[in-house]
Amino acid sequence: MAELYADIIVDISHEKLDRPFQYRVPPRLADKLEVGMCVSVPFGNGNKQIKGYVVGLSETVNFDPARIKDITGLLQKGPGSEDKMIELAAWIRKNYGSTMIQALKTVLPARKSVKKLEHRRIERLMNKEEILSLLGECERKKQTAKAKLLRELLEQEVLPYEWITGKLGVSAATVNSLVKAGALRVAVMESFRNPVNLSGTEGAGTNTGDTLAAKALSFDQAYIVDEILEEYDAGKRGTYLIHGITGSGKTEVYIRLIEEVVSRGRQAIVLIPEIALTYQTLLRFYKRFGERVSVMNSTLSPGEKYDQCERAKAGEIDVIIGPRSALFTPFPDIGLIVMDEEHEGSYKSESTPKYHAREVAGEVARLHNASLVLGSATPSLESYYRADTGAYRMFVLRERLTGGSLPQVHTVDLREELKSGNRSIFSRKLQELLADRLEKGQQSMLFLNRRGYAGFISCRSCGLVMKCPHCDVSLSEHKGGRLVCHYCGYTESMPKLCPKCGSKYISGFRAGTQQIEDKLKEMFPGVRTLRMDADTTRTKDSYEQILAAFSNGEADVLIGTQMIVKGHDFPKVTLVGVLAADLSLSVGDYRAGERTFQLLTQAVGRAGRGELPGEAVIQTYQPEHYAVVHAANQDYESFYQEEILYREMLSYPPAAHMLAVQIFAKEEERGKCLAKRLADMVKSMEAAGQAADRITVMGPTAAAIGKVNDIFRFVFYIKHTKYDKLVEIKDLLEDVLKVWAPRQESVQFDFDPVNTL
Ligand code: ADP
Ligand code: ZN
Ligand code: ZN
């Protein structure tokens, strides 16, 4: 049998990860040792036994085999947060496909050699009598500076150094001479940066005071808190899904649960999509947890991020709020993880390891024996399915606590508009309501749900969308006029006439927010507009600035992409127009319906948050589509029932699991060839499988965006009912790739992908 060698990290910190040490695996450990395990190894000249972690295994040795040392033995993992981090990284590696180093880099904070904030202070060492006699001496010798400092020390035992050398005007030399005389010392105090800078929040707090103070919970809120706590105190940990519209009091429930868990001596993590992490939310937590809460987000410097981890380790904070990376805060004993807006796509990492924060949160909860609470107004199919099948426990909050009523929704059939000669991007209903709002001085929002590319082809006369006959997703238009399926690679040529109704109005849909703004100004001269999209929000604060300007009434109409449907409340908005629901409905992937339902529900819910009732207009070529119909009725349950049928019928997640294998290549032919070889390998397993164990392979095909920065991208998809089977296939492909060792091509794995590549 070939010798086995292990790469071992002995100092577990982010910057040492790339320098593992190689050890020989003694035969008795050969079939036991796995990546992620904890071992004891001899280290250095003295061969001192120290603890290390296995990050890789190989049959080749990197240096003189005569000098390589043996692993001494396995060590049990302990309860420390470091061992938990290693275990988590090993889990991520296994379930998402990456190297152990990549997984460790994901879970460990990058240490930045930034200096801690230092305060110096002066501490008196002599008693008052001694100071007095020294003072007398200095006065006699006319040493006025020394005397000045000594007089201060008579009053106060401790003085801030900056104040002494600044305001008091005593030089550092003077301070030093008194240090030599033994009268005082200079102490250096270190502190961690606290990014929660809410100084002056007293004022802000009084403005919105009533919304920030602890509330008597409503009956439904109290029920949720009681039930979860009862299970918690009985030693039962679970995953709970709170299904409740915006404003139904979910955050209040989270805060109450966190208070209880913290009072039991444990810590809590609150995950929130970055874009939803507003000042208001932060303030609410700050009012309840004060200095014991911190944030983690992309605006923090690496030093600040690192400091938050140190504060968590040192027990200085109990609660952290942040986007998905906040999951990796090294708390010693996590009792609760909350994930708000759990359906958000941003919880999925788009770089290797392509983990989903919901699943990783589940694993962190398992490692710490914590409970997990998910919340959403429009739960992901995954979570609702699990609640439906009993894996999660679900609670529902039905009422909006802030008042306001659900808006009246008009669904406009754009095919009818065309028939009656209206070729504008605004339907007659929308024009009428916009004019009405402008006259009344009320605000409107126009929403273009443009997601990624939207190269689909539809008929403006009958609404037909060109779909793949095999995958039931929309075909996309590629250069050269061919229509392509992004899952299986099926193609057909672009039709000249609609195959269903024969009209010539069959084409791609193209409109941007800029165009909408121009058209709006043409139609309503003098209208004041604000635009929010990827272009207008490039700079750091522009997002908040646009929202603030709109909030202050500086515009009549806010036009934007999906960014505008999240976050802030605008009480003065009484009209929301969705310009083309079809844009997200026809993106070529299986989540298109779910995403459309979520976006439309959120968009519609933007109108009528205040005193005045709201209205919404949904413009679409497919008014009969279930995602549109149920969003218009704000009816999640009915949407779910139809959507899950579709997923079950076509074996899409969550009814089954799906692994995307992505191939990146410098040369198109080589990439194509590698993709085909890998896919063929999986297909040969497919043929051998039993019916219940059937593996389905779709593709390979060029990726939706086939070439980026001169790198060609190919993809194929594998579907199976069991996640573990896909992990097995991934492991197998990894092994094969080790042997083939392609030089110019690389391969990535994406489990249950959220975005098409
Ligand atoms: P969600 O997180 O579901 O959007 P929030 O917890 O933010 O809901 O609550 C919405 C609004 O209702 C907030 O202004 C909050 O202060 C208020 N609120 C929450 N719970 C109560 C309660 N029990 N009594 C009165 N007001 C409440
Ligand atoms: Zn047609
Ligand atoms: Zn297809």
Side-chain angles (χ1 to χ4, degrees):
M1 204 175 104
E3 288 270 25
L4 189 61
Y5 302 91
D7 295 322
I8 300 211
I9 296 277
V10 296
D11 180 359
I12 197 76
S13 66
H14 201 279
E15 49 289 338
K16 300 273 173 63
L17 289 179
D18 290 322
R19 278 175 282 134
F21 297 93
Q22 232 183 4
Y23 284 84
R24 185 187 292 110
V25 180
R28 72 192 152 84
L29 293 180
D31 42 358
K32 282 199 205 115
L33 205 66
E34 281 175 35
V35 170
M37 281 185 171
C38 182
V39 291
S40 164
V41 289
F43 194 74
N45 290 334
N47 281 337
K48 192 173 153 230
Q49 287 296 322
I50 61 167
K51 178 167 148 180
Y53 297 97
V54 181
V55 294
L57 291 167
S58 67
E59 292 181 358
T60 48
V61 65
N62 299 340
F63 67 104
D64 183 3
R67 288 179 44 219
I68 203 159
K69 298 174 190 174
D70 275 18
I71 292 176
T72 314
L74 297 180
L75 289 180
Q76 282 292 34
K77 285 218 177 90
S81 73
E82 181 174 294
D83 282 4
K84 288 207 187 85
M85 284 301 185
I86 303 289
E87 214 167 326
L88 185 61
W91 185 90
I92 288 175
R93 182 193 84 97
K94 175 166 175 284
N95 282 282
Y96 294 101
S98 71
T99 65
M100 187 63 185
I101 301 287
Q102 282 170 322
L104 280 169
K105 284 190 170 164
T106 304
V107 306
L108 296 173
R111 176 179 305 163
K112 281 287 159 187
S113 45
V114 284
K115 278 222 223 116
K116 288 191 182 133
L117 283 186
E118 287 187 353
H119 315 281
R120 281 184 292 175
R121 63 185 206 186
I122 286 174
E123 296 172 2
R124 188 175 83 197
L125 292 178
M126 291 174 165
N127 63 28
K128 280 198 177 181
E129 264 91 275
E130 292 169 315
I131 293 284
L132 262 178
S133 82
L134 190 59
L135 177 59
E137 193 184 321
C138 291
E139 280 172 343
R140 272 199 310 283
K141 294 184 184 161
K142 301 254 180 311
Q143 296 169 327
T144 50
K146 275 192 196 175
K148 196 158 33 167
L149 180 49
L150 288 170
R151 261 180 237 116
E152 292 300 328
L153 277 177
L154 271 180
E155 303 291 318
Q156 211 106 42
E157 264 178 74
V158 176
L159 294 163
Y161 189 89
E162 287 74 21
W163 181 77
I164 299 292
T165 50
K167 234 183 170 161
L168 201 64
V170 174
S171 71
T174 308
V175 176
N176 281 340
S177 71
L178 284 174
V179 170
K180 282 206 190 96
L184 55 86
R185 69 168 177 192
V186 179
V188 178
M189 315 295 293
E190 285 186 340
S191 72
F192 297 117
R193 289 163 191 77
N194 181 0
V196 186
N197 182 5
L198 298 173
S199 50
T201 49
E202 279 323 301
T206 44
N207 277 337
T208 46
D210 62 332
T211 65
L212 294 166
K215 304 265 181 337
L217 293 182
S218 72
F219 181 83
D220 291 338
Q221 287 174 317
Y223 175 74
I224 301 175
V225 171
D226 290 348
E227 287 291 309
I228 295 178
L229 272 182
E230 195 174 304
E231 293 198 351
Y232 186 93
D233 284 334
K236 190 169 172 231
R237 301 291 182 265
T239 301
Y240 307 91
L241 173 62
I242 304 179
H243 179 198
I245 54 171
T246 309
S248 62
K250 296 184 296 295
T251 307
E252 201 58 35
V253 169
Y254 307 151
I255 291 178
R256 199 58 66 91
L257 284 169
I258 294 167
E259 281 174 342
E260 294 292 338
V261 167
V262 166
S263 77
R264 286 160 178 73
R266 305 181 76 197
Q267 301 89 43
I269 295 173
V270 182
L271 300 179
I272 192 165
E274 175 117 28
I275 204 155
L277 183 53
T278 59
Y279 181 76
Q280 278 298 322
T281 308
L282 197 54
L283 201 56
R284 266 171 90 178
F285 278 86
Y286 188 74
K287 288 272 165 175
R288 305 293 260 289
F289 300 100
E291 299 282 322
R292 308 285 301 173
V293 59
S294 189
V295 282
M296 191 82 101
N297 65 23
S298 63
T299 65
L300 298 194
S301 69
E304 284 172 324
K305 280 186 191 161
Y306 187 72
D307 276 6
Q308 300 328 301
C309 290
E310 292 298 299
R311 293 177 74 204
K313 269 193 210 159
E316 286 185 15
I317 52 175
D318 300 315
V319 186
I320 193 121
I321 308 176
R324 59 172 195 256
S325 61
L327 260 184
F328 307 121
T329 309
F331 279 126
D333 188 20
I334 299 163
L336 180 70
I337 302 172
V338 171
M339 190 172 181
D340 195 28
E341 314 262 1
E342 63 86 28
H343 62 276
E344 272 293 313
S346 64
Y347 282 125
K348 179 81 194 273
S349 162
E350 292 300 327
S351 56
T352 302
K354 300 184 179 182
Y355 68 91
H356 197 297
R358 191 192 311 115
E359 312 308 315
V360 176
E363 182 61 13
V364 174
R366 196 188 64 77
L367 288 170
H368 282 260
N369 196 28
S371 282
L372 174 59
V373 172
L374 311 172
S376 174
T378 50
S380 63
L381 260 272
E382 274 79 0
S383 295
Y384 207 83
Y385 183 71
R386 288 178 189 167
D388 206 30
T389 52
Y392 294 173
R393 183 166 172 199
M394 186 162 73
F395 297 102
V396 185
L397 287 173
R398 292 181 203 281
E399 275 158 44
R400 194 175 262 175
L401 295 168
T402 38
S405 49
L406 289 178
Q408 187 191 352
V409 183
H410 313 271
T411 305
V412 175
D413 186 342
L414 287 174
R415 296 170 301 187
E416 295 296 324
E417 294 294 309
L418 188 72
K419 259 191 217 149
S420 41
N422 177 16
R423 286 159 158 266
S424 144
I425 48 177
F426 306 113
S427 63
R428 288 161 302 172
K429 186 77 194 172
L430 186 55
Q431 291 178 24
E432 176 201 319
L433 294 179
L434 275 169
D436 174 68
R437 297 315 191 262
L438 288 172
E439 193 173 306
K440 286 183 185 151
Q442 296 173 2
Q443 288 183 309
S444 308
M445 286 167 100
L446 292 179
F447 166 51
L448 185 71
N449 51 342
R450 182 173 202 73
R451 269 204 112 258
Y453 57 92
F456 73 97
I457 300 300
S458 66
C459 170
R460 290 174 63 194
S461 182
C462 76
L464 174 88
V465 175
M466 300 296 289
K467 288 194 165 180
C468 172
H470 309 295
C471 308
D472 202 21
V473 299
S474 306
L475 294 172
S476 300
E477 186 183 11
H478 275 219
K479 282 197 206 91
R482 290 199 71 77
L483 302 183
V484 181
C485 169
H486 290 148
Y487 281 166
C488 72
Y490 168 87
T491 76
E492 61 180 61
S493 56
M494 170 83 190
K496 296 225 160 43
L497 297 175
C498 170
K500 191 169 154 205
C501 74
S503 99
K504 59 183 181 353
Y505 295 112
I506 185 152
S507 65
F509 186 104
R510 283 176 200 86
T513 47
Q514 175 76 66
Q515 243 173 307
I516 292 164
E517 188 176 32
D518 296 346
K519 289 269 155 59
L520 189 70
K521 288 188 159 152
E522 243 169 62
M523 189 167 284
F524 301 103
V527 63
R528 297 171 308 150
T529 58
L530 278 167
R531 190 156 62 87
M532 175 135 75
D533 55 25
D535 285 337
T536 61
T537 52
R538 274 217 187 100
T539 58
K540 200 173 155 203
D541 298 322
S542 45
Y543 174 76
E544 291 281 343
Q545 276 162 11
I546 295 171
L547 290 178
F550 190 55
S551 195
N552 291 337
E554 288 169 33
D556 307 306
V557 184
L558 174 63
I559 303 156
T561 54
Q562 50 273 10
M563 287 180 196
I564 66 171
V565 301
K566 318 222 153 106
H568 289 231
D569 256 2
F570 301 108
K572 282 179 226 129
V573 171
T574 59
L575 174 65
V576 169
V578 179
L579 290 164
D582 310 72
L583 278 177
S584 63
L585 208 47
S586 303
V587 168
D589 79 83
Y590 72 91
R591 291 182 198 263
E594 179 179 4
R595 220 170 257 138
T596 302
F597 177 81
Q598 288 165 352
L599 284 170
L600 292 183
T601 309
Q602 282 173 348
V604 165
R606 301 262 79 189
R609 287 281 175 84
E611 314 268 282
L612 299 166
E615 279 180 285
V617 176
I618 300 177
Q619 304 190 153
T620 174
Y621 291 101
Q622 302 169 73
E624 66 289 340
H625 193 288
Y626 63 93
V628 176
V629 171
H630 299 313
N633 295 329
Q634 308 263 300
D635 181 0
Y636 180 88
E637 177 67 24
S638 301
F639 166 74
Y640 171 80
Q641 294 303 346
E642 290 202 45
E643 180 69 18
I644 199 71
L645 268 184
Y646 158 72
R647 305 279 179 100
E648 274 167 353
M649 218 139 64
L650 287 144
S651 296
Y652 285 128
H657 292 284
M658 192 161 164
L659 168 61
V661 182
Q662 306 166 331
I663 293 92
F664 300 80
K666 283 209 183 79
E667 279 174 50
E668 189 170 10
E669 270 316 303
R670 293 180 59 116
K672 207 177 196 167
C673 178
L674 178 62
K676 185 164 181 325
R677 279 175 78 191
L678 291 171
D680 282 348
M681 240 189 64
V682 183
K683 280 180 189 163
S684 67
M685 299 166 66
E686 176 182 12
Q690 300 290 321
D693 202 35
R694 176 110 349 119
I695 302 163
T696 313
V697 179
M698 302 150 81
T701 173
I705 304 166
K707 188 170 135 186
V708 175
N709 289 333
D710 288 326
I711 301 289
F712 292 89
R713 319 204 294 180
F714 298 88
V715 62
F716 65 96
Y717 296 87
I718 311 165
K719 289 194 293 198
H720 195 273
T721 47
K722 297 209 178 59
Y723 194 95
D724 288 350
K725 184 74 191 176
L726 294 178
V727 170
E728 211 176 279
I729 294 172
K730 180 261 299 172
D731 288 345
L732 195 107
L733 292 177
E734 273 180 343
D735 286 347
V736 166
L737 284 167
K738 260 185 219 152
V739 177
W740 294 352
R743 290 223 188 134
Q744 296 172 27
E745 295 81 31
S746 64
V747 175
Q748 290 183 8
F749 299 96
D750 191 349
F751 284 83
D752 292 346
V754 166
N755 289 316
T756 34
L757 179 73

